[in-house]
């Protein structure tokens, strides 16, 4: 099993719901993003293409971050999810430097407020103390909502099908641009899309073998 | 872990509705230990993205928990008002606030009810648009002839025309079946605007299916980025391009849907030399009726005369079969003439279509190309593709009903519409669909559902809570039963039902201009910089001395200084808001702390007809809004405040205002009498009213508690509801705007008598394109067209205060920058990040940082709407981006002479300024 | 160029590496420098049998370099965990190398002092000193997302510069301890060779990276012609290379023992400063390739 995501850029409208739903679900402090939306344009007037690219951790099969981690805090699970065991992270940031996609963040200040100088609100306190506590001074990143998937599996739900066993950004997308499933299963939702629509990963030349594919 | 996990004593998901914009999507909120921590969409409801939700909705948590929320009533202690003046707020109690308000209110109401403006109370620019606050006090006759923000730049022309042509507040493609869609300055389908989430999911499915969108827009922003083809266009020239395409379709390709034109439009109506319909027994005599005053379903109305005539004097058509003129709905007609010259009662006449056909010849491709900058071959190609893609003559079987299949659509909204030629341009968009029969039929241009037959099994319930329809109205044309901002309620109390019929203009000295320009609703005048001059000419006075407001016009309308003067002229201003705004800080005497949408109940929001319901064959859904977090501090929703005022004021006036209001609300909801609460002399909570409404509408087993648990009701739509036009006998007057011929001499007369100039040239029944003020600026220095656009991250004027949205705004090139074409910028010596000044040809200025883009028409400058806040009450939003609106001239000259809506574009020059000298804003 | 990178240009345009150079990342830059410099000095010290150079090298590497490195960590008290992944992580390997170097180096020094030096221990100490010198280069070389780093030349340059710096440091110590006449000439030989090799490698390195991909080209451009050009030409080339080279040429003619000590100190200082600056530029100039195509009108952007 190798969990992966397919992002359909034809559907995506660049609304930032993935980015913001993730911030809410993980009570992420300011300036920390597990997923983001990148925009640019190609071509020259009037033949212009607006480029919109939602990005998140690629959960690479050949993950540079796993290789460079000196403590083994960054690990790859059987299902392909790359995650950080923050209790083992020493905060050397080699993984951040090594990730060619720059999808990792050093959580230096977990107490940074949403409203600077106005203290932590209830939203932040409950989020950071109960919902998703983050270990300060370690490296954090997207883990495909691993905790949620595991909980869903325990309830007997299907990953990528049932909402409670699907990453938050996939659920939040108003245009269903995201699909989540098992890349190893040739008949899965994701494998079929990749095959039919010629899905491609980012920077395949680097040999990282990402588990996030894009469709044009 | 450093943060030890706290004990979890609550972990629930609750259904309610979003109110970050006017679309009211169904949402679910995750509440942990009493704190709302996450928001999601509702997968099983059609009212929304079916699971997804836009970023504004997701960030709603940061409205609820913003430490800058207002928590107590505030009293201004500094008598001076104005932009940048410190109000010196003093915290007061609710009782003290009411003691300030009620005696003043009583005095003014007794003197003259028009002295109180109570039009837009509750919700407002706070992120809870439509709380469904009943205008309880409106029964006492407050006056409001002006949209104080949140609407002035809205569809001043497109909404009335949406009503006339689709029985709907606006128009949209039938995404499920459309294959080829023209967008003229509209963002529908791109997470903003009308039915943002419903449209987003439907448009995405359509794109995935292969639907092609052709987007005419000066800017390659969100809609254009998803387009099959982006066609850059000079602002305000959409009409010329559309009419050129109509010309190609009618006069070159000859691809028109004749049966549709004959049976469903006014194409066959005979027109005489006076440009008016030839009628059975003589000229139209007009029909007496009433028009509601004010905005939100007030009870007061005035007598007016509608253009048209009753059943005894119908418009005539020519029956080709018998070779004679007959009334348009004569059942013996064999075939309608669309072309030819005829005579009836000695009057030489032609079918409307004949006149249109000839008229369209003026709109050559070359002419349209010249004004719009679109290459002629592009116009020709798109017109040809549109006509062919329409598949005129084809049919589709939906649930056993054989319907015309016309998979093309054309839509417009603010970008294309917001100009001095709005009225005609909007009709031009309707026209191109009508020519090929792509109106309210599978695949065509459609409105939001204009017809419901009621919840299954409760269809006979009368009055029914979820029943509205369209019918054949005056002269055979589409008339809608319920409509407008208060469309959840029946307007049966008011004989003015919708946008058709249209009254004659009359000079009644009204300050709201609705008397002289009855074709449109939203007028600039109260905030206009020339208002005193215009009112003097019209002999009108603006009586308002006290205003209740929940909007932020200073940010959302136009010329800030003119608005400041207008606000200053109102002696006592009461604001109910979530945060202090530019308007409240500058001009409020009393500020009341409102509850946000997650802190209140409403059964009413789910009913709003404008954008709540998915169109086409998508199921119906009705949601309720329920309290997620109880209001803390001294926050109190505007609904409750209204009751409080009714109690106190009622005592003063010796009336039972509470009962009056309750009865009115129950009657207009409407709720069957058997479910009315027993005691109507007290505050009925939204839950009580909601229980009555839901039981009355969905059956006794579906009360408030059922809805609190399940959140919403969903049921299938019938084909007769979705594609009502194919089942009902009304026509759409889209071929020929005959009423304008009636208006023209009156308008000329008003012009002459008052000195107010409404260009009579635009009062022609033949749909035309007119250059606007923006095209007439001669000074070559002001070489650019500047406009605002709807940012995908923002809505109304309070989305910039949420940190999550602010972060995302900084991560995209647009929101906080002024954008322009890269080559144009280079020629002006600009580079990304330069501080620039935009100056209009009338001298108004705004500063900002520039971002050069390839996807930008070379003649244009774009600024994200609602940016550039300066209220201290919103520190996250403070000082970010540039405010476009303040550049907008607010004068009569900059409005459409028919609908009266504001020109939303302005000619400017752009220059680099020295950051150190000027200082950052 | 990237100085004012707007958030919306992040990974849309070539995006600078920050974690190992900005803010607390400065510590990592210094740590690598001192660790390698110290190991280099020790290495040279063993060869030239200078116990002073060995000791200073050992201290610079272990105390200053190692200390700064540990300070940089988010959780300094967990630093022992960093030896867990020598199979794949150069940081793990590096920590092991440094630790073994420090252990064998200490034993070696004690044995030298005791008068019973063991060739085996010396070989081991020098081996790990050498690995300590180069592991930083390998750690960076491993990062294939940064074209400027992802070249086999980097560990070689770092190896050369470590030994060269070490030799400089050793020369300085010799000068200070008055042993310049005995150690000077042969150290000078080393420095001469290493200096030439270093300059040559640096040129080859920059030219080769320029032709790897557009991002590598941009990195090299920023160093040679762009926002780092002043540091590159004035500090790295002029002070770090040209000045020591001139002094070397002069001393080649006059003999090192006849050189004024001030000139030699200056030369050593400039050499180390140049090396430190180059390391800064390599860290600072590292760019990630964009994730999203952006061809439209990039030339004139503030970028």
């Amino acid at each position: 099993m190798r969990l992966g995501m397919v992002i359909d850029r034809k559907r995506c409208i660049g609304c930032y719901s993935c980015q913001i739903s993730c911030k809410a679900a993980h009570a992420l402090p300011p300036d920390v993003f597990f997923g983001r939306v990148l925009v640019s344009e190609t071509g020259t007037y009037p033949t212009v293409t607006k480029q919109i690219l939602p990005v998140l951790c690629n959960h690479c099969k050949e993950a540079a971050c796993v290789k460079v981690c000196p403590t083994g805090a960054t690990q790859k699970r059987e299902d392909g999810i790359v995650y950080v065991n923050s209790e083992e992270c020493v905060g050397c940031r080699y993984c951040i430097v090594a990730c060619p996609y720059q999808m990792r963040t050093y959580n230096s200040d977990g107490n940074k407020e949403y409203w600077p100088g106005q203290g932590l609100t209830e939203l932040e306190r409950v989020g950071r103390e109960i919902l998703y506590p983050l270990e300060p001074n370690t490296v954090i990143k997207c883990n495909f909502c691993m905790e949620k998937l595991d909980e869903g599996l325990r309830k007997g739900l299907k990953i990528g099908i049932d909402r409670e066993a699907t990453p938050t950004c996939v659920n939040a997308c108003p245009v269903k641009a995201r699909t989540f499933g098992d890349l190893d299963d040739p008949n899965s939702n994701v494998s079929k899309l990749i095959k039919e629509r010629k899905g491609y990963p980012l920077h395949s030349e680097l040999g990282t073998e990402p588990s996030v594919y894009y469709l044009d | 872990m450093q943060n030890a996990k706290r004990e979890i004593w609550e972990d629930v998901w609750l259904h309610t509705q979003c109110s970050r914009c006017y679309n009211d999507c169904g949402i679910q909120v995750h509440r942990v230990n009493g704190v709302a921590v996450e928001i999601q969409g509702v997968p099983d409801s059609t009212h929304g993205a079916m699971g997804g939700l836009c970023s504004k909705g997701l960030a709603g948590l940061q409205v609820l928990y913003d430490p800058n929320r207002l928590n107590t009533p505030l009293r201004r202690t500094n008598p001076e008002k104005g932009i940048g003046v410190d109000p010196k707020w003093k915290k007061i109690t609710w009782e003290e606030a009411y003691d300030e308000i009620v005696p003043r209110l009583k005095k003014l109401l007794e003197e003259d009810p028009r002295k109180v403006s109570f039009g837009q109370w509750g919700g407002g620019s706070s992120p809870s648009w439509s709380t469904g606050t009943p205008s309880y006090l409106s029964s006492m006759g407050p006056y409001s002839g002006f949209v104080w923000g949140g609407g002035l730049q809205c569809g001043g022309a497109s909404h009335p025309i949406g009503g006339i042509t689709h029985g709907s507040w606006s128009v949209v493609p039938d995404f499920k079946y459309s294959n080829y869609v023209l967008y003229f300055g509209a963002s529908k389908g791109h997470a903003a605007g009308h039915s943002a989430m419903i449209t987003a999911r439907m448009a995405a499915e359509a794109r995935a299916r292969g639907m092609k969108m052709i987007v005419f827009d000066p800017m390659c922003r969100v809609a254009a980025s998803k387009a099959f083809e982006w066609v850059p266009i000079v602002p305000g020239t959409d009409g010329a391009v559309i009419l050129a395409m109509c010309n190609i379709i009618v006069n070159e390709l000859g691809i028109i849907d004749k049966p549709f034109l004959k049976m469903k439009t006014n194409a066959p109506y005979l027109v005489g030399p006076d440009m008016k319909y030839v009628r059975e027994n003589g000229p139209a005599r007009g029909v007496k009726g009433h028009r509601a005053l004010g905005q939100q379903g007030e009870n007061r109305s005035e007598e007016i005369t509608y253009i048209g005539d009753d059943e005894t004097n119908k418009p005539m058509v020519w029956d080709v079969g018998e070779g004679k003129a007959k009334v348009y709905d004569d059942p013996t007609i064999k075939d309608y003439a669309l072309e030819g010259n005829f005579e009836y009662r000695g009057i030489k006449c032609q079918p409307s279509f004949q006149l249109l056909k000839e008229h369209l010849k003026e709109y050559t491709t070359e002419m349209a190309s010249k004004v719009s900058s679109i290459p002629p071959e592009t116009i020709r190609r798109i017109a040809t593709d549109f006509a062919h893609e329409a598949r005129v003559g084809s049919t589709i079987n939906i649930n056993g009903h054989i319907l015309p299949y016309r998979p093309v659509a054309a839509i417009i909204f603010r970008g294309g519409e917001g100009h001095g030629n709005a009225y005609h341009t909007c009709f031009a968009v309707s026209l191109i669909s009508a020519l090929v029969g792509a109106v309210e039929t599978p695949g065509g241009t459609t409105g939001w559902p204009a017809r419901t037959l009621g919840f299954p099994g409760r269809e006979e319930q009368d009055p029914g809570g979820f029943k509205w329809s369209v019918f054949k109205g005056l002269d055979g044309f589409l008339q809608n039963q319920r409509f407008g901002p208060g469309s959840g309620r029946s307007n049966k109390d008011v004989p003015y039902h919708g946008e058709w019929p249209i009254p004659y203009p009359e000079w009644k000295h009204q300050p709201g201009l609705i008397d002289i320009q009855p074709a449109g609703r939203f007028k600039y005048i109260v905030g206009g910089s020339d208002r005193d001059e215009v009112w003097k000419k019209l002999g009108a006075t603006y009586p308002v001395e006290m205003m209740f407001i929940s909007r932020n016009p200073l940010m959302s309308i136009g010329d800030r200084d003119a608005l400041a003067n207008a606000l200053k002229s109102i002696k006592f201003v009461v604001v109910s808001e979530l945060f202090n705004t530019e308007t409240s800080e500058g001009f409020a005497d009393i500020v009341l702390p409102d509850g946000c949408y997650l802190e209140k109940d409403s059964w009413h929001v789910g009913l709003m007809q404008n954008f709540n319901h998915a169109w086409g064959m998508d199921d119906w859904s009705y949601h309720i809004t329920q309290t997620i977090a109880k209001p803390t501090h001294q926050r109190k929703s505007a609904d409750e405040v209204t009751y409080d005022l009714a109690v106190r004021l009622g005592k003063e006036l010796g009336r039972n205002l509470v009962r009056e209001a309750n009865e009115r609300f129950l009657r207009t909801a409407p709720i069957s009498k058997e479910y009315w609460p027993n005691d109507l002399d007290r505050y009925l909570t939204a839950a009580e009213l909601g229980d009555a409404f839901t039981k009355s509408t969905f059956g006794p087993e579906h009360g408030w508690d059922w809805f609190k648990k399940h959140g919403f009701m969903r049921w299938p739509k019938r084909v007769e509801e979705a594609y009502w036009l194919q089942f009902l006998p009304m026509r759409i007057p889209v071929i020929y705007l005959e009423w304008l011929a009636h208006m023209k001499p009156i308008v000329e007369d008003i012009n002459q008598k008052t000195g107010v100039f409404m260009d009579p040239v635009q009062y022609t029944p033949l749909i035309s394109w007119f250059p606007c003020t923006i095209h007439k600026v001669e000074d070559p220095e002001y070489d650019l067209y500047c406009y605002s656009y709807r940012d995908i991250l923002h809505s109304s004027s309070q989305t910039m205060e949420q940190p999550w949205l602010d972060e995302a705004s900084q991560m995209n090139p647009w929101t906080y920058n002024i954008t322009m074409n890269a080559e144009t910028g280079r020629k002006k010596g600009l580079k990304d990040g330069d501080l620039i000044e935009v100056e209009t040809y009338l001298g108004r200025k705004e500063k900002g940082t520039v971002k050069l883009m390839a996807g930008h028409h070379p003649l244009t400058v774009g600024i994200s709407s609602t940016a550039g806040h300066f209220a201290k009450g919103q520190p996250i939003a403070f000082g970010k981006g540039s405010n476009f609106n303040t550049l907008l001239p607010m004068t009569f000259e900059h409005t459409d002479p028919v609908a009266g809506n504001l020109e939303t574009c302005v000619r400017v020059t752009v220059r680099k300024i020295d950051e150190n000298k000027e200082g950052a804003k | 160029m990237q100085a004012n990178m707007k958030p919306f240009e992040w990974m849309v345009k070539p995006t600078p590496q920050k974690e190992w150079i900005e803010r607390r990342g400065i510590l990592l830059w210094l740590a690598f420098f001192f660790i390698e410099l110290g190991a280099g000095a020790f290495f040279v010290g063993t060869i030239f049998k200078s116990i002073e150079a060995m000791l200073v090298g050992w201290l610079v590497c272990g105390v200053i370099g190692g200390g700064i490195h540990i300070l940089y960590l988010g959780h300094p008290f967990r630093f022992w965990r960093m030896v867990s992944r020598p199979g794949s992580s150069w940081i793990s390997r590096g920590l092991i190398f440094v630790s073994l170097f420090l252990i064998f180096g200490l034993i070696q020094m004690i044995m030298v002092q005791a008068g019973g030096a063991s060739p085996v221990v010396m070989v081991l100490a020098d081996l790990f000193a050498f690995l300590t010198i180069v592991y930083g280069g390998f750690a960076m070389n491993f990062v294939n997302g940064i074209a400027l780093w992802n070249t086999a030349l980097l560990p070689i340059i770092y190896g050369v510069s470590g030994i060269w710096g070490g030799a400089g440091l050793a020369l300085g110590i010799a000068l200070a301890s008055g042993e310049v006449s005995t150690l000077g000439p042969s150290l000078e030989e080393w420095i001469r060779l290493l200096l030439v090799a270093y300059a040559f490698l640096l040129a080859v390195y920059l030219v080769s990276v320029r032709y790897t991909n557009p991002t590598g080209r941009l990195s090299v451009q920023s160093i040679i012609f762009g926002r780092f050009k002043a540091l590159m030409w004035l500090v790295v080339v002029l002070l770090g290379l040209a000045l020591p080279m001139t002094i070397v040429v002069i001393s080649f003619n006059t003999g090192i023992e006849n050189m004024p000590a001030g000139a030699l100190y200056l030369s050593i200082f400039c050499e180390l400063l140049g090396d430190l600056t180059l390391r800064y530029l390599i860290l600072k100039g590292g760019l990630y390739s964009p994730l999203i195509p952006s061809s439209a009108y990039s030339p004139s952007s503030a970028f």
Side-chain angles (χ1 to χ4, degrees), chain B residues 117-379:
Chain B
S117 167
F118 210 107
Q120 296 180 321
W121 179 243
S125 60
S126 62
S128 52
W129 261 77
S130 35
T131 56
T133 309
S135 297
Y136 287 120
L137 293 185
S138 67
S139 51
M140 293 170 301
Y143 176 92
S144 149
F146 176 64
V147 183
W148 276 105
L152 191 61
Q153 294 181 30
C154 186
S158 72
H159 292 325
I161 294 165
I164 291 169
T165 57
H166 294 270
S168 163
W169 191 236
S170 192
V171 293
V172 76
D174 182 20
F175 282 119
K176 183 150 187 218
Y177 297 107
S178 264
N179 290 335
Y180 196 85
V181 177
L182 310 181
Y183 272 58
F184 294 95
S187 60
K188 292 167 207 202
H190 307 91
H194 304 169
S195 289
M197 289 292 91
I198 303 175
T199 347
R201 71 168 158 86
M202 282 188 170
E205 294 302 331
R207 277 199 303 283
R209 183 174 56 77
M211 182 191 83
K212 290 177 182 168
M213 269 171 53
I214 312 296
V215 175
F216 294 80
D217 201 307
M219 199 172 169
C220 186
R221 188 74 176 92
V222 186
S225 73
K226 305 317 292 180
F228 176 74
E229 185 174 352
W230 170 49
V231 186
I233 184 169
V234 171
T237 64
D238 307 65
V241 177
I242 302 161
L243 291 171
M245 293 199 285
C246 289
N247 183 24
I248 292 167
I249 291 168
V250 171
N251 288 312
E252 292 182 29
L253 303 170
I255 300 177
I256 53 169
D257 188 338
K258 285 187 182 163
F260 175 82
L261 292 173
K262 288 173 182 173
M263 300 304 298
K264 292 291 173 194
T265 73
N266 58 347
Y269 284 30
L270 295 171
V271 174
D274 61 356
M275 303 292 277
K276 295 171 186 164
Y277 294 143
V278 174
R279 291 176 185 266
E280 203 176 353
N281 301 313
R285 295 164 298 185
V287 177
K288 292 277 181 227
H290 291 81
R291 168 169 55 204
L293 285 174
Q295 283 292 321
Q296 307 239 341
E298 292 170 28
N299 264 354
R300 292 189 326 115
S301 63
E302 59 176 336
E303 190 164 277
I304 46 171
T305 308
Y306 289 114
I307 299 166
D309 212 334
D310 60 24
E311 294 294 298
T312 64
N313 192 20
K314 293 176 177 173
M316 303 300 287
V317 296
W318 192 263
D319 181 2
V320 181
E322 286 186 35
K324 66 183 229 191
K326 294 181 179 175
V327 295
Y328 70 90
D329 56 355
D330 186 328
T332 68
I333 295 171
K334 294 196 173 64
D335 189 15
Y336 292 85
L338 289 179
E339 294 177 46
N341 292 292
F342 308 102
E343 205 176 300
Y344 174 66
R345 286 195 295 108
I347 306 167
K348 288 199 188 315
C349 50
Q350 292 178 313
S352 299
F353 184 76
Q354 168 81 46
L355 290 165
L356 174 77
K357 192 177 173 182
E358 282 306 310
H359 168 71
L360 284 176
K361 288 177 183 166
E362 283 177 31
Y363 294 93
T364 63
T365 310
E366 289 65 33
M367 173 267 174
S369 171
K370 202 176 151 205
V371 298
S372 68
S373 83
I374 301 170
E377 58 276 14
T378 305
I379 298 174

Side-chain angles (χ1 to χ4, degrees), chain A residues 5-23:
Chain A
M5 195 182 288
V6 174
I7 300 178
D8 187 345
R9 294 179 68 195
K10 196 168 179 180
R11 283 175 174 266
C12 174
I13 50 179
C15 71
Y16 295 86
S17 284
C18 43
Q19 175 179 314
I20 289 173
S21 65
C22 174
K23 289 213 67 157

Side-chain angles (χ1 to χ4, degrees), chain B residues 14-29 39-42 47-49 52-61 63 126-131 196-197 596-598 600 602 605-606 608 612 623-626 628 711 795 799:
Chain B
L14 299 165
H15 278 281
T16 186
Q17 277 177 286
C18 186
S19 282
R20 298 307 311 282
C21 71
Y22 42 66
N23 300 310
D24 315 323
C25 296
I27 54 171
Q28 311 173 70
V29 183
I39 299 179
Q40 283 192 1
V42 181
H47 185 183
L53 190 65
C54 79
S55 44
K56 292 154 285 199
L58 294 166
L61 297 168
V63 174
S126 62
S128 52
W129 261 77
S130 35
T131 56
M197 289 292 91
C596 85
Y597 68 106
L598 296 169
K600 52 180 97 167
S602 172
V605 174
M608 298 294 279
N612 269 8
H623 286 254
I624 64 152
T625 297
Q626 66 170 315
I628 302 299
S795 172
T799 45

Side-chain angles (χ1 to χ4, degrees), chain C residues 135-279:
Chain C
Y135 93 87
F138 278 107
M140 288 168 71
N141 161 41
F142 188 84
V143 178
N144 64 1
I146 300 177
L148 190 65
W149 299 4
N150 186 218
T151 160
L153 283 168
L154 203 65
I156 300 176
I157 290 182
Y158 277 24
V160 170
S161 87
I163 297 172
W164 175 43
L169 192 58
L171 181 64
I173 293 162
L175 276 170
S177 58
E179 291 175 45
V180 71
S181 50
T182 50
L183 291 177
S186 40
L187 259 177
E188 179 79 357
E189 295 271 318
W190 272 62
I191 290 172
R192 236 178 267 157
L193 281 172
L194 287 166
L195 183 58
V196 172
Y198 180 74
F200 175 74
L201 281 170
L202 183 59
V204 173
Y205 163 67
L206 289 175
V207 170
S208 69
V209 170
R210 186 185 181 286
Y211 291 99
T212 50
N213 64 25
T215 310
R217 182 187 170 133
L218 215 55
S219 283
V220 174
Q221 261 176 346
S222 71
I223 290 171
I224 301 179
F225 307 115
R227 58 185 282 234
F228 303 120
K229 65 181 180 215
L231 281 178
M232 178 67 191
W233 292 106
L234 289 179
V235 183
V236 178
V237 177
L238 198 68
L239 293 181
L241 292 173
L243 190 134
M245 199 95 73
T246 314
I247 290 173
V248 159
V249 170
I250 297 167
S251 78
F252 184 70
N253 292 322
T254 62
I256 190 161
E257 53 285 2
N258 299 323
M259 284 294 288
L264 290 173
Y265 279 128
L266 178 70
S267 169
I268 293 163
F269 174 78
C270 288
E271 171 197 328
L272 295 181
L273 183 68
D275 186 29
L276 185 63
T277 306
L278 181 72
R279 288 162 178 273

